[in-house]
């Protein structure tokens, strides 16, 4: 009888971590996670429904000892490093902390793996923000990086330290260069969830307007549940490689706004206002990726269209706020 596969997920309480944990449980994995000790209630909201089926360790990407303890305790076959400072906007206010989490934190995880389970397989959550001021369209695995935020810079370090450990220490280590991927579990600070939640609040009569920044910025938006499947697929291959995961189509924030308001039967012209406070110091104007390598090597492709994603998020927030006006992240 084959041994049950064990996986360890950093950032298991986040959007991607919770979807990945569900996927791995469905596949018969024993799932372990690392979560920071937090003072705010409700931080386990995204995994409350599966908490009895997983093992969660208290750990921190800033603390080598806690990471090593979690890796030794779980003895994983696969490690998914999803923990990071996930919000690009905050990285200008906290650039040093962003570097500690999203750059050095990757090194700490790789060291913990190399020390305790060097035969395990490692997935690093890279980001399309590494492309930044794009040097070619669409962006692929060979497109040069030109990050435009402390977040993007830190992610470039995390990406290349993963490549370095793969090549220097013969580890099975992959980077998934994921373009923007959203869901009903997205944090309220992200523009897509800010829009869907704002639309729901206006529809329920809780707010009159929604303040946004640059409506002309374009992103390649996919559904997070589709994207975590690609993470798993990367670690099932014979050889470790890096992959762009995207939809191949970009849409503007304005398009997202128009679709979201229309789905709720509202006119954005009556409710949306532009607030300069939400403009980035250095904007990434147009990110769009090609997932041809992932389709060819992994057999992966996105299942959820942009329109379906917008409707899904708006419907989820309308339902959430129908339960009570103070509902936000936990579901």
């Amino acid at each position: 009888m084959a041994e049950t596969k064990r996986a360890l997920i950093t950032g298991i309480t986040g959007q991607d971590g919770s979807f990945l944990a569900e996927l791995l449980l469905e596949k018969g994995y024993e799932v372990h996670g690392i979560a920071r000790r937090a003072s705010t209630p409700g931080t386990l909201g995204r995994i409350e429904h599966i908490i009895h089926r997983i093992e969660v360790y208290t750990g921190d990407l800033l603390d080598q000892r806690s990471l090593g303890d979690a890796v030794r305790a779980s003895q994983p076959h696969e490690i998914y490093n999803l923990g990071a400072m996930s919000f690009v906007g905050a990285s200008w206010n906290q650039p040093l902390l962003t570097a500690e989490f999203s750059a050095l934190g990757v090194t700490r995880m790789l060291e913990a793996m190399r020390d305790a389970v060097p035969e395990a397989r490692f997935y690093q959550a890279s980001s399309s923000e590494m492309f930044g001021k794009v040097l070619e369209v669409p962006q692929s695995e060979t497109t040069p990086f030109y990050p435009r935020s402390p977040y993007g810079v830190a992610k470039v370090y995390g990406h290349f330290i993963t490549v370095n450990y793969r090549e220097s220490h013969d580890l099975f280590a992959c980077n998934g260069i994921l373009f923007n991927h959203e869901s009903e579990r997205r944090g309220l600070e992200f523009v897509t969830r800010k829009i869907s939640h704002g639309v729901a609040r206006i529809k329920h009569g809780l707010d009159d307007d929604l303040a946004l920044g640059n409506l002309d910025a374009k992103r390649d938006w996919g559904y997070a549940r589709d994207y975590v499947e690609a993470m798993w697929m990367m670690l099932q291959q014979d050889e470790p490689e890096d992959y762009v995961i995207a939809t191949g189509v970009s849409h503007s924030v304005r398009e997202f706004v128009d679709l979201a308001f229309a789905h709720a039967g509202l006119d954005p012209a009556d409710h949306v206002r532009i607030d300069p406070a939400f403009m980035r110091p250095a904007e990434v104007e147009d990110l769009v990726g090609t997932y041809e390598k992932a389709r060819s090597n992994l057999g992966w492709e996105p299942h959820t269209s942009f329109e379906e994603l917008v409707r899904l998020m708006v419907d989820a927030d309308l339902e959430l706020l129908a339960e009570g006006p103070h509902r936000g992240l936990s579901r």
Side-chain angles (χ1 to χ4, degrees):
M1 186 175 175
E3 182 183 9
T4 300
K5 275 193 171 183
R6 294 181 299 277
L8 177 64
I9 305 170
T10 71
I12 194 169
T13 60
Q15 169 188 260
D16 291 7
S18 63
F19 281 129
L20 179 61
E22 289 174 351
L23 176 71
L24 295 177
L25 287 171
E26 289 170 10
K27 293 183 178 297
Y29 278 65
E30 183 182 305
V31 177
H32 301 253
I34 297 177
R36 298 174 66 199
R37 188 184 302 280
S39 57
T40 54
T43 54
L44 298 179
R46 296 183 183 92
I47 58 170
E48 277 179 344
H49 63 295
I50 55 170
I51 196 71
H52 60 290
R53 301 177 60 194
I54 62 180
E55 183 77 34
V56 179
Y57 307 93
T58 298
D60 198 307
L61 287 172
L62 306 186
D63 179 46
Q64 187 72 47
R65 173 78 180 261
S66 67
L67 301 179
D69 287 348
V71 172
R72 283 187 293 272
S74 58
Q75 289 293 301
H77 300 97
E78 297 172 6
I79 297 172
Y80 296 86
N81 187 41
L82 311 185
M85 284 279 283
S86 61
F87 185 48
V88 177
S91 71
W92 278 283
N93 296 327
Q94 296 181 299
L96 297 178
L97 189 60
T98 298
E100 284 285 354
F101 274 117
S102 301
L104 295 182
V106 184
T107 316
R108 294 186 186 103
M109 277 306 301
L110 285 163
E111 276 296 293
M113 169 180 160
R114 192 164 76 96
D115 179 56
V117 287
E119 71 288 351
R121 297 184 169 204
F122 184 87
Y123 171 86
Q124 165 59 17
S126 284
S127 168
S128 60
E129 289 287 334
M130 301 187 303
F131 295 122
K133 189 175 182 179
V134 298
L135 300 179
E136 64 182 20
V137 179
Q139 294 91 55
S140 72
E141 292 80 5
T142 58
T143 302
F145 299 138
Y146 194 147
R148 297 269 281 170
S149 66
Y151 173 94
V153 173
K155 281 292 188 179
V156 169
Y157 176 98
H159 180 92
F160 278 122
I161 200 67
T162 300
V163 173
N164 185 263
Y165 270 63
R166 178 171 73 215
E167 296 176 349
S168 301
H169 302 299
D170 197 28
L171 299 181
F172 193 108
C174 300
N175 287 294
I177 308 172
L178 271 56
F179 279 64
N180 292 60
H181 47 290
E182 317 299 315
S183 78
E184 66 275 24
R185 298 182 187 175
R186 211 30 154 158
L188 289 171
E189 67 273 23
F190 292 87
V191 68
T192 51
R193 181 75 197 288
K194 183 178 179 182
I195 294 166
S196 67
H197 197 256
V199 165
R201 288 187 63 83
I202 292 168
K203 185 68 174 178
H204 282 294
L206 301 170
D207 281 330
D208 291 323
D209 61 6
L210 175 63
L212 296 170
N214 182 9
L215 298 185
D216 296 319
K218 291 185 175 181
R219 294 291 185 273
D220 182 331
W221 275 305
Y223 186 32
R225 194 184 291 274
D226 294 345
Y227 283 35
V228 298
E229 186 179 17
M231 300 176 186
W232 174 78
M233 287 177 165
M234 289 178 211
L235 297 196
Q236 313 314 308
Q237 304 307 301
D238 292 334
E239 297 295 331
E241 295 186 47
D242 306 325
Y243 292 90
V244 163
I245 303 300
T247 71
V249 182
S250 70
H251 296 275
S252 68
V253 175
R254 190 183 307 278
E255 287 177 77
F256 198 107
V257 167
D258 289 345
L259 277 171
F261 274 86
H263 186 58
L266 298 168
D267 185 346
D270 297 332
H271 303 284
V272 174
R273 61 182 175 84
I274 304 303
D275 187 337
F278 295 119
M279 298 288 188
R280 290 185 181 183
E283 182 58 85
V284 176
E285 293 297 341
D286 194 356
L287 290 174
V288 57
T290 172
Y291 62 93
E292 188 52 46
K293 181 181 176 181
R295 175 162 47 194
S296 176
N297 291 17
L298 307 178
W300 179 89
E301 55 186 337
H303 306 301
T304 310
S305 72
F306 175 70
E307 293 76 13
E308 289 171 323
L309 172 65
V310 176
R311 290 195 295 267
L312 180 155
M313 291 182 66
V314 172
D315 285 342
D317 274 325
L318 285 168
E319 182 181 343
L320 188 71
L321 288 174
E323 300 170 11
H326 303 296
R327 299 300 300 273
L329 280 178
S330 53
R331 48 182 70 249

